[in-house]
């Protein structure tokens, strides 16, 4: 029987029955989302350093596949702002063909991640790092739009954040008033129209108004047509790529970056949509669909695609509840591309820059950034490190260093959480499980250990016990609250047992869970003679040790 986790949600919906009322709602939602996606697809492509039609191709091809075969009922796929940083860097280094092949490879990597059931593992990606690099990407997107937003007319803008802003300040006197006015108007319409009505997308209205103003008033501003020429009104023929080992080695790192970011973004969007509709997505099937969508997007000459949180939310708010809405969204974009592509060349670049400024603001998640920043100092360090590395250096480096730093800081916090307390005779009144333990003899030392004994905490554990003097015959380690012990922890426990043996001190273990007990047995550290269920039993055994010693 085919595993349920690998059945597309569209198949499930069709099997359960699909009424005419929901079909109407899905079609309307798909049309609305398609209109919303139109300016974004064009803007994301241009901001990524490729021609505008590649964004439309991606939204049509990948958007349809993600909805038709994905594991979410309402996910909308296509090009997103998160990819701008990675795609732009790949284009600058490897060219458009290199980007296409990297996307092709990334698709297979994401597909493999899904088939290997990695969907459940990506949920362990720290929220702090996601907020950090997302906010960093927002800053980069905003920075990249300043040239077109202000109409500075700069042709060779540096890719580095600091150099880019230094050039902007030096060119401040070259601001083009008409371009700046169009961009500011676009921001206002895009941001404020949803407060009046949510039935008409603000970005679409802004594009219509800006394009009509430029066209009818013959305003001297740069447009898509003056920079890129006419936009093709047909989909290109798919093309297969012969990828040799040398190409794979050259493009593997950018492909992995696309795959990792695509996987995270798609599952994050799916989780958000689950909360909006009370559903539950199939993470592994979602990855399989995302992988196939990126392979096909590359074959048609598109760019990387993933789940788009904003468009998915628009779909839900518009009444979309099944994958049909996402498929209609892709078909709507295809129809617009076939019919109205020539009109798109009149869209002013300043208008697209204004739309992307709003995207950057929404993407910045300022409230989430501030919330994380108000937490403990460890999270602040990870957040700021990931954010600054993303902005100043590179997104991949930021994620790599952020993950390593988050892991080390987590281990430190876990190690710091391990506590060892000496239980003295006057503290004999304990919890219900140890209510029978009675008085602790003077020659018996009891330590209660709380927390995992892994390599981060094992040294502290050993150092504490080595300070024990020679005035005791038995050391009892109460370890009911030790959930696990790793190889380093076992090594330190063995070292303690050997040290105590040389001091003629016997070590008893109390309250171990089944796994920790088995680990001690398999390591040859403990047997039934020193393993006890309760502290009372361990103390009674200690009394026997005293009797044997006195005789």
């Amino acid at each position: 029987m085919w595993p349920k986790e690998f059945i597309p949600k569209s198949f499930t919906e069709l099997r359960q029955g699909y009424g005419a009322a929901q079909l109407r709602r899905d079609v309307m939602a798909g049309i609305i989302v398609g209109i919303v996606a139109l300016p974004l697809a064009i803007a994301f492509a241009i901001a990524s350093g490729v021609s505008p039609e590649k964004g439309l191709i991606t939204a049509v091809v990948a958007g349809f596949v993600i909805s038709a075969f994905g594991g979410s009922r309402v996910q909308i796929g296509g090009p997103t702002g998160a990819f701008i940083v990675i795609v732009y860097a790949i284009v600058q280094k490897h060219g458009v063909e290199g980007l296409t092949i990297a996307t092709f490879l990334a698709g297979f990597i994401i597909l493999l991640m899904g088939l290997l059931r990695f969907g459940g593992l990506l949920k362990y990606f720290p929220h702090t790092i996601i907020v950090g690099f997302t906010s960093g990407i927002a800053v980069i997107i905003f920075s990249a739009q300043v040239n077109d937003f202000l109409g500075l007319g700069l042709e060779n803008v540096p890719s580095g954040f600091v150099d880019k802003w230094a050039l902007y300040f030096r060119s401040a006197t070259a601001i083009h008033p008409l371009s700046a006015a169009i961009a500011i108007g676009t921001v206002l319409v895009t941001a404020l129209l949803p407060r009046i009505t949510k039935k008409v997308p603000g970005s679409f209205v802004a594009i219509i108004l800006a394009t009509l103003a430029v066209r009818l008033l013959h305003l001297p501003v740069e447009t898509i047509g003056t920079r890129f020429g006419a936009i093709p009104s047909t989909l290109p023929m798919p093309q297969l790529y012969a990828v040799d080992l040398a190409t794979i080695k050259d493009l593997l790192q950018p492909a992995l970056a696309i795959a990792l970011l695509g996987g995270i973004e798609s599952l994050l969007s799916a989780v958000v949509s689950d909360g909006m509709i009370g559903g539950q997505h199939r993470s592994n099937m979602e990855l399989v669909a995302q992988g196939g969508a990126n392979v096909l997007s590359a074959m048609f000459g598109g760019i990387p695609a993933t789940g788009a949180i904003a468009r998915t939310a628009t779909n839900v708010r518009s009444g979309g509840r099944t994958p049909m809405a996402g498929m209609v969204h892709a078909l709507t974009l295809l129809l617009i591309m076939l019919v109205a592509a020539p009109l798109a060349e009149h869209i002013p670049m300043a208008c697209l820059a204004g739309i992307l400024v709003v995207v950057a603001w929404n993407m910045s998640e300022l409230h989430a950034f501030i919330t994380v920043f108000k937490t403990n100092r460890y999270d602040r360090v990870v957040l700021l490190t990931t954010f600054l590395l993303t902005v100043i250096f590179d997104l991949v480096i930021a994620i790599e260093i952020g993950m390593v730093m988050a892991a080390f800081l987590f281990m430190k916090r876990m190690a710091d959480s391990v506590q060892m307390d000496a239980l003295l005779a006057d503290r004999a009144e304990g919890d219900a499980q140890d209510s029978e333990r009675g008085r602790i003899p003077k020659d018996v030392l009891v330590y209660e250990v709380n927390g995992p004994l892994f390599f981060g905490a094992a040294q502290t554990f050993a150092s504490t016990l080595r300070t024990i003097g020679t005035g005791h015959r038995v050391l009892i380690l109460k370890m009911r609250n030790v959930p696990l012990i790793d190889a380093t922890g076992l090594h330190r426990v063995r070292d303690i047992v050997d040290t105590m043996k040389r001091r003629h001190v016997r070590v008893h273990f109390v309250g171990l869970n089944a796994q920790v007990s088995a680990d001690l047995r398999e390591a040859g550290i403990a047997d039934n003679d020193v393993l006890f269920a309760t502290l009372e039993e361990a103390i009674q055994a200690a009394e026997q040790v005293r009797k044997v010693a006195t005789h």
Side-chain angles (χ1 to χ4, degrees):
M1 184 177 178
W2 193 262
K4 183 179 179 180
E5 63 182 312
F6 290 114
I7 298 176
K9 279 286 187 176
S10 60
F11 293 12
T12 303
E13 293 295 322
L14 289 174
R15 189 182 304 163
Q16 292 175 349
Y18 190 60
Q22 185 57 56
L23 175 61
R24 286 194 297 270
R25 288 193 291 268
D26 285 337
V27 169
M28 287 304 301
I31 293 173
I32 292 172
V33 178
I35 294 172
V36 171
L38 174 66
L40 295 177
I42 295 174
F44 289 148
I46 293 174
S48 300
V50 298
S51 53
E53 78 276 3
K54 292 187 177 298
L56 292 173
I57 292 169
T58 306
V60 171
V61 176
F64 187 88
V65 173
I66 288 170
S67 294
F69 301 101
S72 170
R73 287 166 53 193
V74 293
Q75 179 89 284
I76 301 295
T80 67
F83 276 124
I84 289 176
V85 179
I86 292 180
V87 172
Y88 186 84
I90 296 173
V91 171
Q92 295 301 306
K93 186 175 181 180
H94 302 283
V96 176
E97 184 176 352
L99 168 66
T100 303
I101 297 176
T103 304
F104 189 71
L105 294 174
F108 284 106
I109 294 172
I110 300 173
L111 184 65
L112 185 62
M113 288 165 59
L115 293 175
L116 293 177
R117 294 180 167 87
F118 279 15
L121 298 179
L122 289 176
K123 66 184 178 183
Y124 297 110
F125 207 88
H127 176 68
T128 307
I129 294 178
I130 293 175
V131 173
F133 77 68
T134 301
S135 299
I137 290 172
V139 171
I140 294 174
I141 292 174
F142 172 78
S143 301
Q145 304 315 307
V146 172
N147 183 28
D148 289 333
F149 193 97
L150 299 178
L152 299 177
L154 302 173
E155 294 185 359
N156 297 311
V157 179
S159 59
F161 179 79
V162 176
D163 294 336
K164 184 177 295 181
W165 277 98
L167 178 60
Y168 289 158
F169 283 118
R170 291 197 303 268
S171 307
T173 56
I175 294 176
H176 191 271
L178 281 176
S179 296
I182 290 173
I184 293 171
T186 299
V187 170
L188 292 175
V189 172
T190 304
L192 298 180
L193 187 62
R195 299 184 181 183
I196 301 173
T197 176
K198 294 185 178 180
K199 295 183 178 180
V200 183
S203 57
F204 185 74
V205 172
I207 276 190
I208 296 296
L209 294 176
T211 304
L212 286 175
V214 171
R215 185 72 174 157
L216 298 177
L217 300 177
H218 305 286
L219 300 179
V221 296
E222 188 175 22
T223 65
I224 290 178
T226 58
R227 181 178 295 186
F228 297 100
I231 296 178
S233 58
T234 58
L235 287 176
M237 293 297 294
Q239 178 181 349
L240 283 173
Y241 294 91
V243 182
D244 56 22
L245 184 59
T247 304
I248 293 176
K249 290 175 63 176
D250 192 35
L251 295 172
L252 182 59
Q253 183 176 359
L256 285 171
I258 292 172
L260 179 61
L261 184 58
I264 294 171
E265 283 286 312
S266 65
L267 296 184
L268 181 62
S269 177
V271 169
V272 171
S273 67
D274 282 349
M276 297 180 72
I277 65 173
Q280 185 173 5
H281 73 281
R282 295 166 184 161
S283 57
N284 293 316
M285 189 63 230
E286 185 65 23
L287 289 179
V288 169
Q290 295 282 344
N294 277 278
V295 169
L296 287 173
S297 177
M299 290 174 61
F300 280 89
I303 58 178
T306 186
I309 296 177
R311 274 161 277 170
T312 299
T314 301
N315 180 34
V316 174
R317 287 195 296 264
S318 301
R321 289 296 181 274
T322 77
M324 179 61 71
M327 290 184 273
V328 171
H329 132 269
L331 295 175
T332 300
L333 282 170
L334 177 61
L335 182 62
I336 294 173
M337 184 178 181
L338 296 177
V339 175
L343 301 177
E345 64 184 84
H346 301 295
I347 298 174
M349 297 299 299
C351 178
L352 294 179
I355 291 172
L356 286 175
V357 165
V358 177
V359 169
W361 172 256
N362 294 333
M363 191 176 179
S364 66
E365 295 190 19
L366 186 60
H367 62 286
F369 193 96
I370 294 173
T371 300
V372 174
F373 196 79
K374 289 180 179 178
T375 57
N376 61 76
R377 66 180 185 277
Y378 300 113
D379 286 337
R380 283 198 294 271
V381 169
V382 174
L383 175 70
L384 291 177
T385 300
T386 308
F387 173 76
L388 293 174
L389 287 175
T390 300
V391 172
I392 298 175
F393 294 101
D394 179 75
L395 174 62
V396 177
I397 293 175
I399 292 177
E400 291 173 349
I401 294 179
M403 282 295 292
V404 172
M405 181 176 291
F408 272 108
L409 290 177
F410 173 76
M411 287 186 289
K412 183 185 186 312
R413 293 169 70 179
M414 289 295 293
D416 292 343
S417 71
V418 176
Q419 298 178 346
M420 294 189 59
D421 297 315
L423 302 184
L424 306 177
D426 59 356
R427 295 173 59 187
E429 297 81 9
D431 52 42
Q433 182 171 338
D434 294 324
S435 59
E436 302 176 354
R437 61 188 179 176
R439 186 179 63 84
I440 301 175
K442 293 183 178 179
D443 59 349
V444 175
L445 184 61
V446 180
Y447 266 89
E448 183 171 21
V449 186
N450 295 293
L453 277 182
F454 70 111
F455 61 90
Q459 186 59 45
T460 302
F461 168 80
S463 299
T464 301
L465 294 183
R466 285 198 187 99
T467 62
I468 296 173
T470 57
H472 300 89
R473 291 185 180 274
V474 177
L475 167 64
I476 298 178
L477 296 179
K478 188 168 177 285
M479 300 172 64
R480 186 182 63 200
N481 295 320
V482 176
L484 62 89
I485 183 169
D486 70 353
T488 306
L490 288 171
H491 176 74
R492 296 304 181 195
V493 172
R494 185 193 300 278
D495 183 42
I496 292 301
V497 171
D498 292 342
T499 300
M500 293 299 117
K501 186 180 295 184
R502 289 193 295 269
R503 297 179 184 177
H504 306 289
V505 177
R506 186 179 176 89
V507 180
H508 290 177
F509 300 92
V510 174
L512 278 66
N513 66 39
Q515 185 57 57
V516 175
S517 177
D519 290 339
L520 291 180
R521 292 173 189 272
E522 291 175 4
I525 297 173
D527 54 27
N528 290 336
D529 292 337
V530 296
L531 295 174
F532 302 95
T534 66
L535 184 58
E536 177 65 24
E537 293 176 2
I539 291 175
Q540 290 176 359
E543 296 283 358
Q544 296 297 322
V545 172
R546 181 194 298 130
K547 291 178 181 178
V548 172
T550 54
H551 287 80

